[in-house]
Amino acid sequence: MELRVLRYFQAVVNELNISRAAERLHVSQPTISRQLKDLENELGVTLFDRNGHNLKLTNSGEYFANQVNQILALTDKTVENIHREQEIVGSIVIGSAESRSFLNIAQSINAMHHAHPKIKTNIISTNSEGIRANLKSGNYDFGIVMEPTDKSEYNFLKLPGESRWGLLLPRKSPLAKKDHLSFDDLDGKDIIISRQHGVVDQFREWSQKDDPKFNVVATYNLLYNASLMVSAGVGYALCIDGIINTNQSDLIFIPLEPRVTAGTSLVWYKGQHLSPAADTFLKQLTTDINLPLPK
């Protein structure tokens, strides 16, 4: 005796009409009639008195209908409880560099939250050194790092899109009149750079200069703070685009030429056991950006 057949029987009892029950269940009338006949043969009793299209429960049918209602109610409750026990709860911690690619992460967080509202996501803005240290200690589930970076210890997903390097400077600066800046334009200038390890080495590689001739007057972890230093006249900030909204502000971003770009990757330790919440986020992200999970 299958639950599907009991639901057919319950629908016929509620409608007392096979045609209406079939329409309600989106199955054919002959299917309902055949299943009811097989059910009566299996039980060895008559469940309905039939008078043409009119149906009436027999005494045995009344008793069986009451039992079926209890069986199906218990079944539905059991299934609901199983699903409730499987509801995913927990928290995820993501350490993130500042990048416009974070929009992909934010969109996946939003989709995950709608499907699993009891998962909480914690975002901590930091640099690559902070991400590495906290991934190693287990404080972070994931990190979002700027490329290039050593990912030999990590599983990773390269996020869509790239950011362009340039200079954040006051609109009143003579350099602000240019469409782009060459590396020579930075010579002799006071520059604020990211504290991320290897930025000066990257600049040497980009500019093909062994000894950059600008003056590093300050470093920053978060570009917003650097932008305030630029506004205060401390220097120009070497940074990527799309982080500071320069519309209706006293600052402007001018890109470097030749064009220098940086991508971002989501990283997590190889062999790390992900929590159900972290695993759910990772599956959501790979679906959203159409990439397979690393093996």
Side-chain angles (χ1 to χ4, degrees):
M1 189 180 304
E2 299 179 11
L3 290 174
R4 172 177 52 85
V5 176
L6 297 184
R7 294 193 188 280
Y8 288 170
F9 172 76
Q10 187 182 58
V12 173
V13 170
N14 291 336
E15 299 292 342
L16 289 178
N17 184 282
I18 293 178
S19 296
R20 289 197 298 271
E23 182 178 352
R24 173 179 162 186
L25 295 170
H26 304 290
V27 296
S28 68
Q29 181 176 339
T31 296
I32 297 286
S33 298
R34 184 175 63 255
Q35 294 289 352
L36 288 182
K37 189 64 178 175
D38 290 345
L39 179 62
E40 288 180 319
N41 290 338
E42 182 179 354
L43 295 172
V45 297
T46 300
L47 299 173
F48 294 98
D49 286 330
R50 295 167 173 82
N51 183 13
H53 293 294
N54 297 321
L55 297 177
K56 182 180 179 182
L57 285 168
T58 63
N59 290 336
S60 296
E62 290 277 5
Y63 171 78
F64 187 67
N66 181 62
Q67 298 301 111
V68 165
N69 287 338
Q70 294 184 53
I71 291 169
L72 293 180
L74 180 59
T75 300
D76 292 341
K77 180 180 179 180
T78 301
V79 171
E80 181 182 352
N81 286 340
I82 289 174
H83 287 169
R84 183 178 293 123
E85 288 177 2
Q86 292 179 341
E87 184 177 19
I88 300 173
V89 299
S91 63
I92 306 166
V93 181
I94 303 174
S96 178
E98 293 179 301
S99 167
R100 64 169 60 191
S101 296
F102 185 79
L103 179 60
N104 295 284
I105 301 296
Q107 290 169 339
S108 293
I109 290 172
N110 182 49
M112 178 187 68
H113 180 71
H114 280 87
H116 306 282
K118 292 189 177 181
I119 296 179
K120 180 181 178 181
T121 308
N122 305 285
I123 305 299
I124 300 175
S125 296
T126 184
N127 58 15
S128 61
E129 286 81 3
I131 289 171
R132 289 179 184 277
N134 282 282
L135 283 175
K136 188 173 184 178
S137 66
N139 292 330
Y140 293 174
D141 296 292
F142 302 102
I144 300 169
V145 296
M146 300 294 299
E147 300 289 0
T149 189
D150 179 11
K151 299 190 293 292
S152 58
E153 295 181 301
Y154 303 107
N155 292 312
F156 67 93
L157 290 173
K158 183 171 175 55
L159 299 176
E162 291 185 322
S163 299
R164 189 170 183 181
W165 281 89
L167 218 60
L168 188 66
L169 42 83
R171 291 183 183 273
K172 63 184 180 181
S173 167
L175 295 181
K177 298 176 182 179
K178 295 192 172 189
D179 293 330
H180 61 269
L181 298 173
S182 69
F183 294 105
D184 290 338
D185 288 323
L186 277 63
D187 288 353
K189 303 298 190 298
D190 292 336
I191 303 297
I192 306 166
I193 67 169
S194 168
R195 290 185 58 189
Q196 181 170 322
H197 179 71
V199 169
V200 173
D201 291 337
Q202 284 181 302
F203 187 85
R204 290 193 182 101
E205 182 180 343
W206 299 334
S207 64
Q208 298 182 343
K209 294 183 177 183
D210 292 334
D211 186 19
K213 296 180 181 179
F214 56 75
N215 305 311
V216 176
V217 295
T219 62
Y220 65 87
N221 250 8
L222 300 177
L223 186 55
Y224 177 74
N225 291 334
S227 72
L228 297 180
M229 288 194 286
V230 175
S231 294
V234 175
Y236 304 153
L238 183 64
C239 61
I240 58 174
D241 65 344
I243 305 302
I244 299 298
N245 183 0
T246 58
N247 294 331
Q248 299 179 341
S249 78
D250 62 339
L251 303 180
I252 187 170
F253 177 88
I254 308 294
L256 288 171
E257 191 70 39
R259 183 184 181 92
V260 180
T261 60
T264 52
S265 292
L266 180 87
V267 298
W268 64 102
Y269 259 106
K270 289 181 179 178
Q272 176 182 353
H273 177 72
L274 296 177
S275 69
D279 185 62
T280 298
F281 165 75
L282 189 59
K283 289 177 180 176
Q284 181 68 57
L285 178 63
T286 54
T287 299
D288 291 344
I289 64 177
N290 196 28
L291 286 176
L293 278 168
K295 295 182 179 179

